[in-house]
Amino acid sequence: MAGKDRDRFSTATRLRLLGEQTAARVYRSQNRRQARRSRLTGRAAFLALVVCSLVVALAYPMRQYVSQRDEIAEQERLSQEAERHTEELRDEKARLQDDAYIMRLARQHLHYVLPGETGYTVADPDAAKDRRSEPGASDRPWHSNLWDGVDSADRDDRD
C-alpha cells in the first residue's frame, strides 16, 4: 500500500491524472456543443420552414377575405342607399296623389293661376344683366348671334 500511496502523490501521476481529466472535460464539452448546435440548427430550420409555409399558405386567403369583407361592406352601403332612395320615391308618389300638392307644383313651376286670380311676373334686373354679360353678344344683330350658335354647335359635333 505504501507503493500505491507513493504513486498517487508523485508529480508524474498527478500530471497524468490532471491531463486525463482535462481531456475528458474538453471531449465532453465538445460533444455537448456539437450535439446542441446540430439539434438546435435543425429545429430552427424546421421551425422557420413551417412558419414560412404557413405565411405563404395563409397570405392569399387572408387577402381575399379582407377584400371580400370590403366588398360586402360596400354592397351593404349601396343597399341602404337604394332603400333610402326607394323610400323617398314612395313619399313623392304619395304626395303626387294629393290634388293640393299638384296644384301647388303647377302654380310654382308652370306659373298657372286659378280663374279670377291675376298673375304677375317680376323681371329681375340682375338676371337680365347676367344674360347680357356675354362679350360682344349685345353689339351684334340677332342673326349674327344665331349663326354663331349654329357654328359652335357644329364644332361640338365634330369633336
Side-chain angles (χ1 to χ4, degrees):
M1 216 172 244
K4 204 176 195 188
D5 286 337
R6 185 184 219 183
D7 234 11
R8 195 170 113 196
F9 294 115
S10 72
T11 306
T13 307
R14 278 191 266 157
L15 285 175
R16 187 174 43 81
L17 284 174
L18 187 62
E20 289 173 359
Q21 290 172 355
T22 305
R25 284 185 199 140
V26 168
Y27 179 71
R28 278 186 296 199
S29 67
Q30 286 178 349
N31 284 343
R32 284 185 202 154
R33 266 193 250 137
Q34 288 174 354
R36 282 186 201 151
R37 196 177 302 147
S38 64
R39 267 194 328 223
L40 186 60
T41 303
R43 286 180 183 172
F46 183 72
L47 181 63
L49 180 68
V50 168
V51 168
C52 289
S53 299
L54 286 175
V55 167
V56 168
L58 295 177
Y60 184 72
M62 285 303 293
R63 190 179 74 154
Q64 289 295 324
Y65 174 76
V66 170
S67 67
Q68 287 175 359
R69 294 300 300 170
D70 290 343
E71 287 178 22
I72 289 171
E74 177 68 18
Q75 292 300 323
E76 287 175 350
R77 186 189 64 79
L78 290 174
S79 173
Q80 290 173 354
E81 187 176 315
E83 287 176 7
R84 183 183 49 79
H85 186 65
T86 303
E87 283 299 316
E88 289 174 1
L89 291 175
R90 283 186 183 139
D91 291 343
E92 182 69 20
K93 181 181 175 184
R95 281 193 302 262
L96 289 173
Q97 301 299 322
D98 185 19
D99 290 335
Y101 182 71
I102 297 294
M103 287 179 67
R104 185 173 65 95
L105 286 179
R107 291 171 69 101
Q108 184 178 12
H109 295 289
L110 302 175
H111 305 289
Y112 281 8
V113 291
L114 293 175
E117 292 181 348
T118 305
Y120 295 98
T121 303
V122 178
D124 186 12
D126 294 333
K129 288 178 187 175
D130 290 341
R131 272 194 314 232
R132 291 188 209 138
S133 66
E134 297 176 15
S138 62
D139 300 340
R140 299 178 299 192
W142 65 270
H143 52 83
S144 297
N145 292 335
L146 178 68
W147 279 115
D148 287 343
V150 171
D151 288 340
S152 67
D154 286 343
R155 268 182 279 164
D156 291 339
D157 287 342
R158 276 187 259 146
D159 294 338

